[in-house]
Amino acid sequence: MKSLEFTRRYKKLDSLQKKAVDTIEGPLLVIAGPGSGKTEILSLRVANILLKTDTSPSNILCLTFTDSAAATMRQRLLNLISSDAYRVSIFTFHAFCTDVIERFPEYFYGGANFHSADPITQLEVLEGVFKTLSYDDPLSKTHPEQGYIYLKDTHSAISNLKKAGLTPKEFFSVIKNNEKEIEFFNKELISIFSERTHRSQFPLLRKFLKRVEKYKAPSSPLPHIHSLSFYFTDSLAKVLDEAEENSSTKPLTVWKEKWLAKDEHGIIVLKDSTLLLKLYSLASVYEQYMEKMYALGYYDFDDMLLEVIKALSSNETLRYELQEKFQYILVDEFQDTNDAQMRLLNLIVSHPVNEGRPNLMAVGDDDQAIYKFQGAQIDNILRFKEEYRDAQIITLTSNYRSTQDIIDLALHVIQKGENRLERRLPNVHKALVSAGGDKGKGEILYCGFVSAREEYEYIAHEIKKLLKEGLSPSSIAVIARKHEYLENIVPYLYQKKITVNYERQQNVLRDSRIQEIIVIARFLISLGRKDKVEADEFLPEILSFPFWEIPRKTVWEISLEASKSRRSWLSIMLASKDKKITQIAHFLIDLSVRSLSEPIEYIIDSIVGAHVSLIEESEDEIKKSSSHKKIQSPFKEYYFGKEEFNLKPAKYLLFLSSLRVFVYALREYKHGSLLKIDDLVTFVNTHEKNELILADENTLLTGKEAVTLLTAHKAKGLEFDTVFVLHCQNEVWSGKGFPRKISFPANLPITPAGDTNDDHLRLFFVALTRAKRLLFLSSHAVGERGKIMSKLSFLTAENDVHTNKKVEEVLQAKLDEHPSEKGGNVTSIENVLSTALPFIKDEKALLKPILEDYTMSVTHLNNFLNVVRGGPQTFLEQNLLRFPQAKT
DNA sequence: CGTGGTAGTATTTTT
DNA sequence: TACTACCACG
């Protein structure tokens, strides 16, 4: 234990931070606003527990949400307590559950071996359940092409239920209770809500409320789930207060919209009664899905938590063992806990010895809760004090990141929020004060533009200027609400030769070259069937794939011949004088026959033209064996040739990465069983039908030092000297929520994300508080299709983005100064990628799997590695950046 | 040329 | 769910 290092770092803390580190016993909630040194406190507190008590490192449990957060935590601890850090249990919630399942297999799945199911398999299992639904089941509706309409929504509804920690049985009993309550309310409602509400009815409504409040709801199956009437009466009481105060029916009308509806007979009822049938069906589908998954030996991510919760609640021995082991528990990002995680936590913490006051430290910030859509329940942090007796609450008030100006603006925004800890608890004051984060001159700039294009141009211009002034690119970030906007701005930055670092998700299945493989696979299947007609439909497309390098004229000639002679394309190709065409025909026929018996990987290898062999063969041998009868697909040579790499390295590596993801996903699919070409097509079809994307996370990194492009969600926890927040408009940051086909009753802790003003405020707050010194807020007034955008109402009139005429004039002058910068060849991000922009990804992540696992042991890859010497990354950094850039 | 019906389409991200 | 684009119809 390096207590010296501890002392040194402890001394740097302010008094509140010290108090958090020193409070070791009992429940403690640390409210850590942006830039308040949260991670440092967590690690110092762990060290302090080890110093002050005789606790062993293995008796401390740290729970995080992401792997990277866990890694950061471990790293910090390593510096502090060296090798002891490895003995502290640092887990994500999921990793913790995996660990428990592995260490106590006898409590899980009867000790049987289970493996995780990918989303596609999950959907297939669920579809199996749907097939057993009767035709009049509310979830069984189908669309001729899209299949079951509710399939995807049911899938996510089940996931949400699991995240809320509800088993099928518990969910069922919740709706059953609700049904009883609904019956009662429906009877009462008619008398008063059948007619239009009028001011004169307020006293009547009061009476109604009084009567209804006396109703005794059936007791809840779970302590944290209230009755429906609790929410009903509570919200009505609030609305009624408001209505009487302003003498207006408006709030009541809004409330009626939300709670009431007319049934098929035109009678006014609780909205929930119309949803009831769907929910009952959902409960039954949920149960069957679980059973089927179990029977097949599958689990999904959500199950891991649910299984451990189940085991801990039913097995005292297991619960005791874990409670004994983990005497000190620390939870990071507490505002992001969902109810399943909360239940798990309560189970580990409820050791009788603690008498309701566990040694639990939760760190979080309710103002930065932006993961509601993942089931996070902000109520968990808001209710901490009620949950644990005599919990201490420490609010950190020093911000070591930003200038006071930036903090003030951020506070100004977030204080508009309603459901905040600061409002709930009397002694929580979150007035952040800047503490030394304001070195250098800080500034906040508001700029309004007419169009997005001008906004992008301005930002590119401004970044260029800052870089010229000597600011490092890596200290600048552009933050947007969604990826679309970031993709839009990339070409503008590229045009000014600004290097960018952008982690984007790409749908592998939309890659044109992956599409080519898929089309060929579809063709091979149709060829194997009797309907050759269908096969003909694919050939025009296949022959025009660029890698064959067949002239258009040739394709056209075959087409002409086919329609004239009414023979199939394939027979014309076989009879063609063009040797290449006959070879391709033979190649495809041969492949089609092989695809009937051979596994998919071999077929893909042949389509791609990769040489397949477990034993390395030399180039010569390959030539010898293939030259006299069959051609090898030119696919590989065309897309992976050295020339292609030299010309378009970005595209080259992007495709290599896509191919890897594609092959890997296929291998994960149907875990363990041998896949045929049909499975590939099914795999792709299921993706398309359910609009699932097969994501490849690419880092578009165009230089060692680069400007970071991020969504607000990804930006959480990071900081930058200078931050540009894109599109400060209501339509962007305060837009409408995303609709769901299945909605849950009000008493379930499952709410659609982003539908309250608070959600919007928090997200924008996170974006603002990333900035240390310079903050640029920009907006534009006219959207893509001429839609008028409104200024972001979070910012007050003095901060009005659109009316800041001065800035606009200055800007116009600026743009006039540089007419050449206006317009130009700004294209799309795809074009940027396909020109000369290098694309760098971690060498090991990108290449090692291909070399080790996938049998693409082709020479070019070795060449690539040889050329690279120090690995592709070094190569790209040293050489590629000097490659001639595309002229703009 | 206005109206009404309807089909199509929309976020954020982790394990 | 909520908006828009589009088309048919009067």
Side-chain angles (χ1 to χ4, degrees):
Chain A
M1 157 80 62
K2 282 195 270 182
S3 65
L4 254 168
E5 174 69 5
F6 172 81
T7 321
R8 192 182 67 80
R9 276 159 69 175
Y10 180 82
K11 271 188 192 155
K12 285 189 184 166
L13 301 181
D14 62 47
S15 60
L16 283 167
Q17 290 176 319
K18 278 178 185 155
K19 196 179 165 201
V21 171
D22 290 334
T23 310
I24 289 175
E25 306 296 324
L28 167 68
L29 174 65
V30 176
I31 301 157
S36 58
K38 182 191 68 169
T39 321
E40 179 71 357
I41 287 164
L42 271 168
S43 16
L44 284 174
R45 190 169 177 275
V46 171
N48 203 27
I49 292 170
L50 294 173
L51 271 175
K52 300 258 169 73
T53 69
D54 55 359
T55 311
S56 145
S58 61
N59 294 332
I60 300 175
L61 174 64
C62 297
L63 290 168
T64 64
F65 282 84
T66 62
D67 284 323
S68 74
T72 311
M73 183 86 206
R74 177 92 60 196
Q75 195 53 48
R76 288 255 187 149
L77 270 181
L78 262 173
N79 297 335
L80 205 57
I81 57 175
S82 58
S83 63
D84 267 355
Y86 288 114
R87 293 175 56 215
V88 176
S89 299
I90 304 173
F91 286 116
T92 63
F93 274 95
H94 290 271
F96 174 71
C97 291
T98 319
D99 187 63
V100 171
I101 293 172
E102 274 170 10
R103 276 197 294 142
F104 306 96
E106 64 273 26
Y107 296 106
F108 299 94
Y109 308 110
N113 208 2
F114 269 58
H115 36 241
S116 81
D118 59 25
I120 290 298
T121 312
Q122 291 169 31
L123 276 170
E124 281 176 359
V125 173
L126 191 62
E127 197 169 3
V129 176
F130 267 65
K131 281 183 182 147
T132 67
L133 292 177
S134 75
Y135 74 97
D136 58 349
D137 191 288
L139 294 183
S140 70
K141 275 191 201 137
T142 56
H143 179 274
E145 272 171 37
Q146 292 155 27
Y148 292 104
I149 290 169
Y150 290 104
L151 186 68
K152 221 186 149 194
D153 290 276
T154 305
H155 185 236
S156 73
I158 289 175
S159 171
N160 285 327
L161 283 166
K162 287 178 178 173
K163 286 187 175 110
L166 291 171
T167 62
K169 289 215 166 58
E170 288 162 345
F171 176 51
F172 185 79
S173 69
V174 170
I175 11 181
K176 209 163 178 195
N177 282 350
N178 282 3
E179 190 177 19
K180 283 183 204 147
E181 294 184 66
I182 287 166
E183 265 172 41
F184 166 79
F185 282 113
N186 280 353
K187 268 187 234 142
E188 299 283 326
L189 282 171
I190 308 173
S191 62
I192 189 139
F193 287 107
S194 293
E195 288 160 48
R196 275 181 62 177
T197 34
H198 191 262
R199 231 173 304 182
S200 62
Q201 284 174 308
F202 288 173
L204 281 172
L205 280 163
R206 275 280 166 216
K207 256 191 182 164
F208 167 79
L209 186 63
K210 273 233 171 87
R211 193 170 63 237
V212 151
E213 267 171 344
K214 280 191 199 122
Y215 170 72
K216 187 134 180 11
S219 66
S220 165
L222 289 165
H224 71 284
I225 289 177
H226 301 287
S227 64
L228 192 60
S229 33
F230 173 85
Y231 292 90
F232 179 83
T233 50
D234 198 56
S235 63
L236 181 58
K238 266 191 201 141
V239 156
L240 208 50
D241 286 348
E242 205 187 324
E244 283 179 340
E245 204 174 292
N246 309 324
S247 183
S248 136
T249 53
K250 224 180 203 169
L252 268 167
T253 322
V254 175
W255 181 87
K256 270 175 83 175
E257 274 287 284
K258 202 188 156 200
W259 280 90
L260 307 178
K262 279 184 176 164
D263 70 0
E264 64 265 42
H265 310 296
I267 297 169
I268 200 110
V269 289
L270 271 187
K271 220 177 212 173
D272 284 63
S273 60
T274 59
L275 305 170
L276 220 52
L277 285 177
K278 225 186 251 177
L279 291 174
Y280 270 123
S281 174
L282 174 64
S284 128
V285 169
Y286 179 19
E287 184 160 35
Q288 289 176 64
Y289 171 73
M290 291 285 270
E291 281 166 8
K292 212 160 180 176
M293 288 283 279
Y294 183 85
L296 292 166
Y298 283 131
Y299 65 83
D300 60 35
F301 277 118
D302 301 317
D303 288 331
M304 293 161 72
L305 273 140
L306 214 53
E307 286 302 316
V308 175
I309 289 171
K310 261 204 291 192
L312 284 179
S313 4
S314 55
N315 286 294
E316 227 164 68
T317 341
L318 179 65
R319 193 167 68 234
Y320 242 74
E321 186 138 358
L322 290 180
Q323 287 170 348
E324 285 283 314
K325 181 170 165 65
F326 298 116
Q327 292 164 18
Y328 291 90
I329 296 170
L330 299 94
V331 186
D332 194 10
E333 304 279 11
F334 191 69
Q335 76 283 355
D336 289 336
T337 41
N338 60 39
D339 278 354
Q341 288 155 338
M342 198 58 197
R343 274 185 87 175
L344 177 70
L345 201 57
N346 275 333
L347 283 164
I348 313 168
V349 130
S350 62
H351 196 299
V353 143
N354 294 328
E355 294 172 339
R357 299 194 72 245
N359 300 324
L360 168 68
M361 180 213 212
V363 185
D365 181 11
D366 53 310
D367 290 334
Q368 292 182 73
I370 55 173
Y371 283 100
K372 191 158 113 186
F373 68 91
Q374 282 175 37
Q377 283 300 117
I378 193 173
D379 263 25
N380 288 336
I381 194 170
L382 300 177
R383 276 198 344 244
F384 191 86
K385 215 179 161 81
E386 294 150 44
E387 194 78 42
Y388 305 105
R389 199 163 46 83
D390 300 328
Q392 287 228 48
I393 298 186
I394 297 173
T395 313
L396 303 176
T397 49
S398 292
N399 175 305
Y400 296 89
R401 178 184 296 156
S402 315
T403 62
Q404 193 62 45
D405 278 355
I406 292 172
I407 294 167
D408 287 345
L409 176 69
L411 285 176
H412 171 83
V413 168
I414 199 66
Q415 274 161 1
K416 291 184 182 166
E418 278 170 25
N419 208 7
R420 299 179 65 223
L421 212 48
E422 197 170 30
R423 292 198 184 210
R424 284 214 189 176
L425 298 175
N427 45 0
V428 171
H429 299 291
K430 303 179 81 173
L432 290 170
V433 176
S434 174
D438 55 348
K439 280 165 241 141
K441 197 176 149 265
E443 210 177 342
I444 302 175
L445 253 102
Y446 307 88
C447 303
F449 301 92
V450 175
S451 69
R453 184 194 172 92
E454 285 163 62
E455 191 180 342
Y456 296 142
E457 262 164 21
Y458 164 74
I459 290 173
H461 174 84
E462 206 60 38
I463 291 179
K464 192 83 200 169
K465 210 175 84 189
L466 288 167
L467 294 178
K468 270 187 197 145
E469 285 167 12
L471 201 62
S472 151
S474 51
S475 61
I476 302 174
V478 178
I479 297 178
R481 175 66 237 271
K482 46 182 181 174
H483 284 290
E484 188 192 336
Y485 308 133
L486 296 175
E487 295 194 357
N488 288 343
I489 202 174
V490 165
Y492 292 85
L493 300 174
Y494 175 64
Q495 191 189 28
K496 289 212 171 4
K497 305 230 185 323
I498 295 165
T499 52
V500 298
N501 175 8
Y502 176 27
E503 234 178 69
R504 65 197 277 267
Q505 296 245 318
Q506 244 231 332
N507 189 357
V508 166
L509 297 178
R510 240 190 281 158
D511 186 299
S512 67
R513 293 142 299 180
I514 299 286
Q515 271 299 322
E516 290 172 1
I517 297 175
I518 294 166
V519 171
I520 291 176
R522 290 205 164 113
F523 167 77
L524 294 179
I525 291 174
S526 73
L527 206 58
R529 290 208 206 97
K530 291 208 173 95
D531 46 352
K532 299 284 193 295
V533 191
E534 201 194 318
D536 260 7
E537 281 171 20
F538 290 107
L539 279 170
E541 192 182 347
I542 292 176
L543 291 182
S544 15
F545 289 159
F547 66 86
W548 300 118
E549 294 182 278
I550 300 171
R552 275 167 192 236
K553 191 171 151 257
T554 316
V555 180
W556 181 76
E557 277 166 2
I558 299 170
S559 158
L560 194 69
E561 181 75 25
S563 66
K564 246 201 273 173
S565 64
R566 296 193 183 172
R567 279 154 60 213
S568 77
W569 274 61
L570 210 53
S571 57
I572 289 161
M573 283 171 69
L574 283 170
S576 170
K577 273 175 230 143
D578 190 331
K579 209 179 155 204
K580 194 172 179 180
I581 299 294
T582 55
Q583 272 180 331
I584 292 173
H586 279 296
F587 171 77
L588 292 173
I589 292 167
D590 177 58
L591 209 54
S592 162
V593 175
R594 281 177 50 207
S595 72
L596 293 173
S597 58
E598 287 183 31
I600 186 85
E601 292 205 5
Y602 292 167
I603 305 302
I604 294 181
D605 272 341
S606 293
I607 295 173
V608 171
H611 175 60
V612 193
S613 165
L614 294 176
I615 310 146
E616 285 277 346
E617 278 179 67
S618 74
E619 277 280 285
D620 295 336
E621 278 172 276
I622 300 166
K623 269 184 196 148
K624 244 189 273 166
S625 66
S626 57
S627 59
H628 56 277
K629 40 178 206 231
K630 290 165 209 153
I631 60 151
Q632 185 142 349
S633 164
F635 189 98
K636 175 200 80 187
E637 211 28 62
Y638 186 83
Y639 293 125
F640 287 119
K642 213 174 172 183
E643 199 148 308
E644 179 73 8
F645 174 70
N646 288 343
L647 246 54
K648 300 169 180 176
K651 220 175 178 179
Y652 175 100
L653 290 176
L654 201 67
F655 177 45
L656 202 59
S657 177
S658 293
L659 189 59
R660 194 195 103 229
V661 170
F662 184 59
V663 170
Y664 264 58
L666 269 176
R667 204 182 288 161
E668 281 287 302
Y669 180 61
K670 295 209 172 156
H671 205 99
S673 57
L674 206 63
L675 297 186
K676 296 278 185 57
I677 196 124
D678 300 56
D679 297 307
L680 183 147
V681 174
T682 317
F683 175 84
V684 174
N685 286 347
T686 314
H687 269 94
E688 281 174 359
K689 203 169 77 186
N690 297 297
E691 291 165 333
L692 282 173
I693 64 161
L694 182 58
D696 183 14
E697 201 172 77
N698 299 308
T699 303
L700 174 67
L701 185 64
T702 58
K704 219 175 193 170
E705 285 276 291
V707 173
T708 309
L709 308 190
L710 299 144
T711 60
H713 285 89
K714 278 225 162 147
K716 199 176 136 190
L718 304 174
E719 57 176 36
F720 301 90
D721 174 82
T722 301
V723 167
F724 290 82
V725 180
L726 287 186
H727 306 334
C728 298
Q729 296 130 215
N730 280 329
E731 290 74 9
V732 172
W733 291 91
S734 190
K736 297 252 176 329
F738 196 79
R740 286 182 196 191
K741 291 199 191 84
I742 301 172
S743 40
F744 288 99
N747 59 334
L748 279 186
I750 303 168
T751 34
D755 61 346
T756 69
N757 192 243
D758 280 23
D759 292 330
H760 302 141
L761 289 171
R762 287 194 291 263
L763 190 59
F764 195 65
F765 176 76
V766 167
L768 294 180
T769 50
R770 300 310 101 196
K772 286 185 188 169
R773 191 176 57 91
L774 287 175
L775 181 59
F776 288 80
L777 304 172
S778 57
S779 71
H780 60 268
V782 184
E784 241 180 279
R785 272 158 293 186
K787 207 178 147 200
I788 302 297
M789 302 287 205
S790 58
K791 60 169 197 241
L792 195 52
S793 48
F794 308 158
L795 308 160
T796 54
E798 63 194 285
N799 299 331
D800 191 324
V801 248
H802 287 309
T803 53
N804 200 339
K805 283 228 175 75
K806 244 187 199 163
V807 184
E808 247 174 276
E809 280 161 25
V810 172
L811 179 84
Q812 196 49 54
K814 245 184 221 164
L815 288 174
D816 290 342
E817 270 173 44
H818 310 273
S820 61
E821 283 169 7
K822 260 186 143 180
N825 299 331
V826 179
T827 53
S828 67
I829 188 169
E830 278 76 24
N831 284 342
V832 172
L833 280 169
S834 65
T835 50
L837 213 56
F839 163 88
I840 302 171
K841 193 163 171 165
D842 175 41
E843 168 204 355
K844 276 179 200 144
L846 180 64
L847 291 165
K848 230 175 134 194
I850 298 174
L851 294 174
E852 282 180 359
D853 305 330
Y854 184 50
T855 46
M856 218 174 123
S857 52
V858 276
T859 337
H860 81 277
L861 257 182
N862 293 325
N863 286 345
F864 175 63
L865 287 173
N866 291 340
V867 169
V868 170
R869 277 185 210 114
Q873 182 133 9
T874 330
F875 173 74
L876 289 168
E877 280 168 9
Q878 288 175 355
N879 304 306
L880 214 58
L881 299 175
R882 278 194 263 114
F883 279 18
Q885 303 268 308
K887 280 268 169 247
T888 50

